[in-house]
Amino acid sequence: MAKKISNKFWFQLHGWFSLPIWLLFCFICITGTISVFSHELTWLTNPDSRAYNPSQVSEMSAGSVLRTFKDEYPSADVMGLNVREPYLTYVVMFTDVDKPYALAYVNQYTGAVQEINDGNTFINFMRSLHGWLLFPWQNGYSVGYYLVAFMSLILLGALITGLVVYKKFWLAFFQFKLRKSQGGRTLAADIHKLSGVWSLWFMTVMSLTGLWYLTQAVLWHAGVELEHHETLNAADIPNSTINANAVETSVDLALAEIQQQYTDFRPSYIMLPEHNRDTLKISGANDYVLYDDYSINIAYNTWNDTVVHHANPDSMTGLQTVMHITDPLHYGTIGGIWTKVIWFIFGCILSGMSVTGFIMYQLRTKRARSQERSNARQLKAQQG
């Protein structure tokens, strides 16, 4: 008959899942919590990022924004355009003679280029700090990315062992127990348990989405392509090196075509062709629930203005579906500002749980050492 595992073992295992790396775990939780509001904080702290509309005019098309930028910076080699929240400007990605990589904030209502920066934005910084701790990428992977993604296993282990140790956890939903007069250790334990019970759903979402990020890293490392990348055959390219349409015109034609199929299609990312056999790629979303802003994709042949590849949630494989619903669940963008608020609050709670867990460990260790010293003194007195 198998020996029953003691509660003490589960308790120690629960501690080992988080205590040795509690500071790193706490840091990842805090940076992720701030990242939830990275767009709003950008609008708040950087006036150049705001999409002013003083004359209350309609939004310019993406192709018009690109043409406006090219008129002002004719030597720039434009790579693409990023459409963010409605209250933020469009972002044009480009290189130039003195800029290996730069971003231009172009107001989609006035056409004004409001800022040129070298690509170091608050949004990118926070997402990079949270996602891979700013470790460098080399040969298609980053040690930091693996390290952060591995935390999903730590969180999942802490979640499962916590439920085993705290057997009657569901009582915390009905009995709000917070003992303030029985010392710091008891208070920290009560806060830790209450936080854990009320954020069970959040920890489950974070650990499962983090587990996908870990799986995705392994797939990337193994060279597995999760999404289709269309290139043109030589026969699709005319002999003439002059395109009938400028690529900016093709952007508007492609957007018009895709908007005929999807009501309220919202473009989020436009990548211009990198070479003659490359396609124009447009990503966006409409009313598909739970999916990210890149769930509808088309590849467009700018030589003859035709769609050569088209993908949406209905045509996705299982892995592609998981890939496109993970970010909204991880960052709480599924319901706009209100779900972001909920994710932010529970992100703070999860960050606090790592702190209260460490406080409990410290107080317990201090108490144990004090008891050992007391026992040693008593033994010495009896012997002396």
Side-chain angles (χ1 to χ4, degrees):
M1 182 178 177
K3 186 179 180 181
K4 184 180 179 182
I5 300 175
S6 69
N7 204 50
K8 182 180 179 181
F9 170 81
W10 286 111
F11 187 78
Q12 290 175 333
L13 188 60
H14 180 69
W16 275 107
F17 264 116
S18 48
L19 282 174
I21 51 172
W22 79 274
L23 191 58
L24 176 61
F25 182 78
C26 185
F27 179 78
I28 293 170
C29 289
I30 291 172
T31 53
T33 302
I34 296 173
S35 295
V36 169
F37 281 128
S38 57
H39 285 192
E40 287 77 6
L41 290 171
T42 295
W43 182 91
L44 192 65
T45 57
N46 184 1
D48 289 340
S49 70
R50 300 172 190 170
Y52 300 107
N53 190 7
S55 302
Q56 298 302 306
V57 297
S58 300
E59 193 173 298
M60 297 167 63
S61 69
S64 297
V65 169
L66 290 172
R67 272 190 293 274
T68 301
F69 174 76
K70 284 287 287 183
D71 289 342
E72 191 161 343
Y73 294 88
S75 62
D77 183 10
V78 176
M79 295 181 286
L81 182 144
N82 185 210
V83 180
R84 305 180 293 180
E85 305 284 354
Y87 50 81
L88 294 174
T89 63
Y90 284 9
V91 178
V92 176
M93 295 150 281
F94 69 100
T95 62
D96 210 336
V97 289
D98 57 345
K99 294 179 178 60
Y101 179 74
L103 302 176
Y105 288 177
V106 185
N107 190 316
Q108 61 270 36
Y109 298 105
T110 65
V113 179
Q114 298 181 173
E115 180 179 311
I116 298 288
N117 68 49
D118 59 2
N120 291 320
T121 66
F122 178 74
I123 296 171
N124 290 341
F125 173 76
M126 286 309 305
R127 293 293 176 100
S128 302
L129 188 62
H130 173 65
W132 53 88
L133 306 173
L134 298 181
F135 274 68
W137 285 79
Q138 50 189 355
N139 301 322
Y141 77 96
S142 164
V143 173
Y145 189 97
Y146 273 108
L147 191 58
V148 174
F150 183 73
M151 289 296 162
S152 62
L153 295 176
I154 300 294
L155 181 59
L156 191 60
L159 172 62
I160 294 172
T161 54
L163 290 177
V164 174
V165 171
Y166 191 19
K167 290 184 171 56
K168 297 182 179 180
F169 65 89
W170 62 85
L171 292 177
F173 288 119
F174 312 103
Q175 300 173 1
F176 189 81
K177 188 169 66 174
L178 203 60
R179 294 165 292 181
K180 302 177 182 176
S181 59
Q182 297 185 23
R185 182 186 166 199
T186 302
L187 179 61
D190 285 348
I191 294 174
H192 192 77
K193 291 176 182 175
L194 271 176
S195 302
V197 170
W198 282 96
S199 59
L200 275 175
W201 70 272
F202 187 74
M203 287 191 288
T204 304
V205 170
M206 290 300 109
S207 55
L208 293 181
T209 52
L211 198 57
W212 165 251
Y213 291 133
L214 180 60
T215 306
Q216 185 175 248
V218 174
L219 293 174
W220 282 343
H221 209 161
V224 177
E225 295 282 352
L226 294 177
E227 292 200 294
H228 180 80
H229 297 285
E230 186 75 36
T231 55
L232 301 177
N233 297 318
D236 297 326
I237 303 173
N239 293 327
S240 170
T241 57
I242 301 175
N243 190 3
N245 289 321
V247 71
E248 294 84 3
T249 302
S250 290
V251 169
D252 285 341
L253 290 173
L255 284 172
E257 186 157 337
I258 196 170
Q259 282 168 338
Q260 287 181 354
Q261 299 185 45
Y262 300 99
T263 306
D264 298 329
F265 173 78
R266 301 181 302 278
S268 58
Y269 188 74
I270 297 171
M271 180 183 287
L272 304 191
E274 295 181 350
H275 48 78
N276 281 351
R277 292 182 60 183
D278 198 10
T279 56
L280 166 68
K281 300 174 183 64
I282 297 180
S283 301
N286 68 338
D287 54 357
Y288 282 105
V289 179
L290 289 182
Y291 288 85
D292 62 16
D293 290 337
Y294 310 94
S295 55
I296 298 175
N297 293 281
I298 68 162
Y300 196 79
N301 183 345
T302 58
W303 295 103
N304 57 17
D305 288 308
T306 56
V307 175
V308 293
H309 179 71
H310 177 199
N312 63 34
D314 294 332
S315 61
M316 288 180 183
T317 64
L319 285 179
Q320 288 171 343
T321 299
V322 173
M323 183 173 65
H324 282 283
I325 66 173
T326 297
D327 270 5
L329 289 173
H330 194 77
Y331 290 102
T333 58
I334 51 178
I337 189 68
W338 293 114
T339 51
K340 286 186 178 183
V341 170
I342 294 171
W343 259 245
F344 180 83
I345 292 172
F346 280 91
C348 291
I349 292 174
L350 189 56
S351 305
M353 283 184 65
S354 61
V355 176
T356 53
F358 181 72
I359 291 174
M360 290 163 58
Y361 169 77
Q362 285 289 79
L363 293 176
R364 188 180 302 112
T365 303
K366 183 179 179 181
R367 183 181 179 185
R369 288 174 180 168
S370 177
Q371 187 64 45
E372 287 178 4
R373 286 195 292 270
S374 177
N375 293 339
R377 283 196 295 270
Q378 289 180 7
L379 182 61
K380 187 175 180 180
Q382 290 172 358
Q383 292 173 343

